[in-house]
Amino acid sequence: MKSDPEIGFWRTDYHTIDGFRQFCRDWQPREESCLPVLALHGSLTQSGMWVAPAEAAGTVRMLCPDQRGFGRSEDPGSDSCAEFASDALALAQNLLPERYVVMAHSFACSIALAAAHRAARHVAAVVLVDPVVRVGMSAAPAAPSPPPLEIFDTLEDAGRHFRNTEEGEWTEDALRRFVQDIMMRDGESGPWRFPYTPVRLQRLRAFTASPESDYNLFAKAKALRCPVLIFRGGMSKRFPPAAEQPFLQAFASKPKLVVCPTSGHFPSATEPDIVIAELKRFLNRVR
């Protein structure tokens, strides 16, 4: 679905947050049906991953930052969950009304839970999209793996990379839109690249696997008291079926779980109809 001025429009800008310039996209619907959403991307993407969902949802305002060191945002050189959460809350304080919902994908789910705990008066609910949940390893992230080094001459090459490396069923249209929205290039004729440098991604992964890491997803779930909606890709390797019940039981109040049966790690791209319908149903109940 393409942006329709009669439904809404995008505002893009840079904001100085926590001492660095942060790029963000702000979907402005003509008619708002619920509280706005602060949407945080995962470690393999940038704010563009939320463009198609925001346009499809239509009436949901979505503020979508490029997090520190990703996309067009500057990299202040640190990686703690607390600092990511501070960035998100500062941006929300500047641009959103007093009450809003935080939505996050993948590693950013820990950031969303941390932000909701720190700003409980402002965060009305949390939406987690395929969080990385490891069975029997709730307090110990996996050792970092080398980041991908590929650059791609065409978007079709990038699409083939994601089809070959990501589980789940991708239609050609979904794959084309996904890579178009998250990949970046320098100039109009340069190669396409990931929205981060290999060094930046490796540094983040090293920190999350270190003893200093503050990304304990289970501990953050236990501290949360607001409503939670969780999407799990039915074919996801990052959030496998065996991790479902242990994670749900970590929350004080059982979250609403929605399984997207043919999705891997990116259900908002591969099964957007399910995600948008459930998201809007959840948001309409949150005040």
Side-chain angles (χ1 to χ4, degrees):
M1 181 178 180
K2 295 182 178 180
S3 180
D4 184 341
E6 295 186 0
I7 297 175
F9 59 95
W10 286 100
R11 286 180 178 162
T12 59
D13 204 352
Y14 287 89
H15 300 267
T16 300
I17 301 295
D18 287 348
F20 73 98
R21 291 179 77 232
Q22 185 171 38
F23 175 80
C24 72
R25 311 169 195 260
D26 192 350
W27 171 251
Q28 301 272 325
R30 293 296 181 186
E31 296 182 7
E32 291 189 50
S33 62
C34 55
L35 291 178
V37 172
L38 174 63
L40 306 177
H41 64 80
S43 65
L44 298 180
T45 61
Q46 41 106 326
S47 61
M49 74 164 287
W50 302 116
V51 170
E55 293 175 2
T59 58
V60 180
R61 182 184 175 190
M62 288 195 192
L63 179 64
C64 315
D66 282 353
Q67 300 196 82
R68 52 174 57 205
F70 290 87
R72 295 170 178 81
S73 289
E74 293 178 346
D75 182 2
S78 50
D79 301 293
S80 75
C81 183
E83 288 168 309
F84 275 103
S86 178
D87 299 341
L89 292 174
L91 190 67
Q93 183 176 9
N94 288 345
L95 299 178
L96 292 179
E98 185 174 1
R99 296 276 285 172
Y100 54 91
V101 173
V102 180
M103 177 167 65
H105 173 248
S106 190
F107 101 103
C109 291
S110 288
I111 301 167
L113 295 178
H117 181 64
R118 286 176 51 181
R121 289 194 307 111
H122 303 293
V123 178
V126 171
V127 179
L128 307 179
V129 182
D130 210 61
V132 180
V133 184
R134 296 180 177 89
V135 181
M137 301 177 63
S138 60
S145 57
L149 302 176
E150 293 92 344
I151 60 174
F152 306 95
D153 291 331
T154 68
L155 283 177
E156 288 72 22
D157 292 337
R160 280 190 287 273
H161 166 81
F162 278 99
R163 185 183 291 282
N164 292 336
T165 58
E166 290 294 336
E167 63 274 12
E169 297 179 7
W170 294 80
T171 67
E172 288 301 325
D173 287 345
L175 189 60
R176 186 181 306 110
R177 178 65 190 264
F178 179 74
V179 296
Q180 175 184 307
D181 286 343
I182 69 162
M183 300 298 285
M184 301 179 66
R185 71 196 310 189
D186 300 315
E188 296 184 0
S189 59
W192 294 89
R193 58 179 174 80
F194 294 107
Y196 48 80
T197 64
V199 171
R200 198 271 169 273
L201 184 59
Q202 184 68 4
R203 194 187 77 212
L204 175 62
R205 289 179 171 176
F207 179 83
T208 59
S210 73
E212 293 76 29
S213 175
D214 57 350
Y215 283 87
N216 189 316
L217 194 65
F218 280 68
K220 295 185 189 315
K222 292 176 183 177
L224 201 66
R225 294 297 180 267
C226 66
V228 180
L229 170 64
I230 302 174
F231 292 98
R232 181 175 73 79
M235 302 170 70
S236 174
K237 295 178 182 177
R238 278 85 154 193
F239 189 6
E244 185 179 292
Q245 286 307 310
F247 186 51
L248 296 181
Q249 291 167 2
F251 290 86
S253 298
K254 190 173 181 179
K256 164 76 172 179
L257 175 74
V258 176
V259 177
C260 300
T262 63
S263 290
H265 195 43
F266 296 95
S268 59
T270 50
E271 292 183 275
D273 291 347
I274 294 176
V275 172
I276 294 304
E278 292 290 347
L279 174 65
K280 294 179 79 169
R281 189 175 296 117
F282 177 74
L283 294 176
N284 286 334
R285 296 197 299 266
V286 173
R287 294 293 181 266

